[in-house]
Amino acid sequence: MRVLEHFPPYKFHMDQFTCTNTHGDFMITQLICGENRINGVIDWTTACVHPVVWEMIRSYVYASPLCVNGEINIADFTEYVRTYLEDGELNSYDLENMAQMFFYFTAVCDFYGQYYDSLTKNRAIYLQQARLSSKLLRWFEAHVEELRSALQEIAHERL
């Protein structure tokens, strides 16, 4: 709640993001792996059209062991983005707004309610997810502009 009290008033132009069909809530536990590659992705119940950057930063945050404490290693993440750009496309608006968009959506989306209200046997996993999201919010509060600057550098490199 403290983060939300001082939350910046972001305004996004959703039509300027690169959007495509996405998984919607991609994380490492939904991958089927073998032979040093991803063989499949499961749980497409939240599949929809989203900004590509949402899926990109989410996949990094929930798959990288460097993010286990709710902190993003900016140098490693920018390398992740550069690797994506070898085959995928992002426009300048994507790169310049990725950090703030993820910060904003993590703060305002109702992920927490489903975690706290869950009565399933694996409720502890949901609560762990909610704690990670809270740590990420605090990290973004302190570092969103630093991450934005690093991503803007990539955008300028591509001009």
Side-chain angles (χ1 to χ4, degrees), residues 33-80:
C33 299
E35 301 298 323
N36 296 318
R37 60 181 232 152
I38 297 172
N39 293 332
V41 179
I42 61 171
D43 183 22
W44 290 88
T45 57
T46 58
C48 57
V49 175
H50 269 310
V52 172
V53 295
W54 166 257
E55 203 77 274
M56 176 179 289
I57 195 167
R58 184 179 169 89
S59 67
Y60 177 82
V61 164
Y62 295 117
S64 173
L66 298 176
C67 294
V68 71
N69 293 317
E71 300 173 354
I72 294 177
N73 179 304
I74 293 174
D76 190 62
F77 179 67
T78 53
E79 183 60 30
Y80 185 77

Side-chain angles (χ1 to χ4, degrees), residues 91-140:
N91 63 41
S92 293
Y93 191 82
D94 293 324
L95 291 165
E96 293 171 1
N97 290 280
M98 183 188 313
Q100 301 90 315
M101 189 270 301
F102 189 78
F103 182 31
Y104 176 80
F105 279 103
T106 302
V108 301
C109 289
D110 186 23
F111 298 127
Y112 302 110
Q114 69 181 341
Y115 300 139
Y116 290 120
D117 294 340
S118 175
L119 300 176
T120 65
K121 292 180 183 179
N122 61 353
R123 183 172 187 263
I125 294 170
Y126 292 141
L127 293 175
Q128 181 180 4
Q129 178 72 24
R131 283 191 293 277
L132 177 62
S133 293
S134 294
K135 290 177 184 178
L136 281 166
L137 283 173
R138 287 190 294 275
W139 185 89
F140 270 94

